[in-house]
Amino acid sequence: MFQQLGEKESPAITPDGDAAPPAPAPARQRWVTILAAILTLGMVAGLARALYVQGVERLIAAFPANPLFYIAFAAFYLSLPLGDFVIYRRLWGIPAAGLGALIRKRIANEVLFGYSGEAYFFAWAKAEARHVKAPFGAVKDVSILSALAGNAVTIALIVAALPFAGHYLNAVQLQGFALSALVVVGTSLPFLVFGRRVFSLTRPVLWEIFGIHVARVAASSALLALVWHAALPQVAIGTWLLLVALRMLTGRLPFVPNNELLFANFAILFLSNSAELTVLIALTAALTLVVHAALLGVFGAAALLRRR
């Protein structure tokens, strides 16, 4: 894959200082933030409607008593920032404080448009990792490799889930499922063909980062399936495989605010004949939003205390 990549290298230099808030967006880009907020609110409304239809009592009863559900959910939530932390620790030697910036990067990508988190993390690296040379090139390479690794795992999950898809998807939906897989493959081709012009890190470093991303995406998918299995252990593993593949497909859509909510709305649409699964998917998406909000509150309070 990386036979034609460039040979420029990023030195590993340790930054110092705490995380800085992202730079304010220019006035001409405010409409992007407004549109992201509108779309996110629309998906929140769709999720809230699904939860309301099921009833508050049923929603409260849907919270699993199994502690494995919450342990696996915490590991699933942290898998993305921890994977990125391992990568940037390898590239720049960032301190433990960098994990907070990477968690905020994940929240920005899911609450705003995709890749807005990369813009935030680039601003953080410029402000705090002052001695790191060319942070843009490294952030760009890591983001592209993350997308390629996600695409590879998505294709593998689709192939594994197809035998179980007929139980939940009709012929038209199956066709859309297959076409979506082709789109995922197509989005990877330009980066493989024009790798030398796209990437800036050395070939061995690129392979190492790609391997970390693949391991992280695979672990994240397995942890999410474990979250659902802990809540509904009677459901067949093929169902979780199909849902994870569907979630990965919706997650491949660029510039979409909150892919988690988008997946929840799609899953509720496809699983209209299964009330238990509908409630669980909606509950997982709502729990993710709650964690996002709680962590943003913690980070905001910490920043306020530092200023004082």
Side-chain angles (χ1 to χ4, degrees), residues 45 68 98 104 136 140 148 164 170 192 224 231-232 269 281:
L68 180 61
R104 286 193 288 274
F136 175 79
K140 167 182 63 66
L148 292 176
F164 310 98
N170 57 39
L192 303 180
L224 182 58
L232 294 175
L269 177 65
I281 299 302

Side-chain angles (χ1 to χ4, degrees), residues 111 184 192 214 283:
V111 175
V184 169
L192 303 180
V214 169
L283 180 65

Side-chain angles (χ1 to χ4, degrees):
M1 189 194 312
F2 305 125
Q3 291 178 355
Q4 299 179 340
L5 302 184
E7 298 296 331
K8 289 183 259 182
E9 203 167 334
S10 255
I13 302 176
T14 305
D16 54 4
D18 296 323
R28 64 179 179 274
Q29 295 179 355
R30 288 177 184 170
W31 69 270
V32 177
T33 303
I34 294 172
L35 180 59
I38 292 173
L39 292 175
T40 298
L41 287 174
M43 287 186 287
V44 169
L47 178 62
R49 181 181 178 278
L51 296 176
Y52 176 76
V53 169
Q54 298 297 332
V56 177
E57 293 182 358
R58 186 167 188 173
L59 176 62
I60 295 175
F63 277 93
N66 187 354
L68 180 61
F69 173 86
Y70 303 97
I71 296 171
F73 179 83
F76 159 73
Y77 186 92
L78 292 173
S79 60
L80 174 56
L82 283 174
D84 283 344
F85 180 77
V86 170
I87 291 170
Y88 286 109
R89 184 83 171 180
R90 159 71 177 83
L91 292 176
W92 299 339
I94 64 172
L99 182 59
L102 291 167
I103 292 175
R104 286 193 288 274
K105 178 173 83 75
R106 172 187 174 158
I107 295 174
N109 278 336
E110 295 192 3
V111 175
L112 299 176
F113 278 96
Y115 303 110
S116 59
E118 274 67 24
Y120 163 78
F121 187 69
F122 171 70
W124 178 88
K126 289 283 288 184
E128 300 302 330
R130 298 180 183 88
H131 303 293
V132 174
K133 296 180 180 179
F136 175 79
V139 172
K140 167 182 63 66
D141 287 2
V142 172
S143 301
I144 292 173
L145 291 173
S146 176
L148 292 176
N151 289 353
V153 176
T154 299
I155 295 301
L157 285 172
I158 289 174
V159 172
L162 278 178
F164 310 98
H167 181 68
Y168 291 102
L169 307 181
N170 57 39
V172 175
Q173 292 169 338
L174 280 172
Q175 185 179 8
F177 205 56
L179 289 175
S180 299
L182 292 177
V183 171
V184 169
V185 173
T187 57
S188 302
L189 292 178
F191 300 109
L192 303 180
V193 174
F194 302 104
R196 177 176 294 179
R197 300 180 182 180
V198 172
F199 294 103
S200 56
L201 298 174
T202 63
R203 192 184 309 168
V205 173
L206 289 170
W207 275 113
E208 182 180 350
I209 294 173
F210 181 76
I212 294 172
H213 276 313
V214 169
R216 187 262 306 166
V217 175
S220 176
S221 301
L223 285 168
L224 182 58
L226 181 60
V227 168
W228 293 332
H229 175 73
L232 294 175
Q234 71 273 18
V235 175
I237 188 64
T239 302
W240 302 137
L241 193 60
L242 176 63
L243 286 174
V244 170
L246 178 61
R247 180 183 177 276
M248 291 295 293
L249 270 179
T250 57
R252 299 298 93 204
L253 299 176
F255 308 113
V256 174
N258 216 314
N259 295 88
E260 196 70 39
L261 281 179
L262 181 64
F263 160 69
N265 282 272
F266 272 128
I268 289 169
L269 177 65
F270 291 144
L271 301 174
S272 56
N273 61 338
S274 179
E276 284 186 326
L277 291 179
T278 299
V279 172
L280 178 60
I281 299 302
L283 180 65
T284 306
L287 187 58
T288 302
L289 283 180
V290 170
V291 175
H292 284 343
L295 287 175
L296 285 176
V298 170
F299 290 137
L304 182 62
L305 288 174
R306 282 198 301 270
R307 290 190 185 98
R308 289 184 175 181

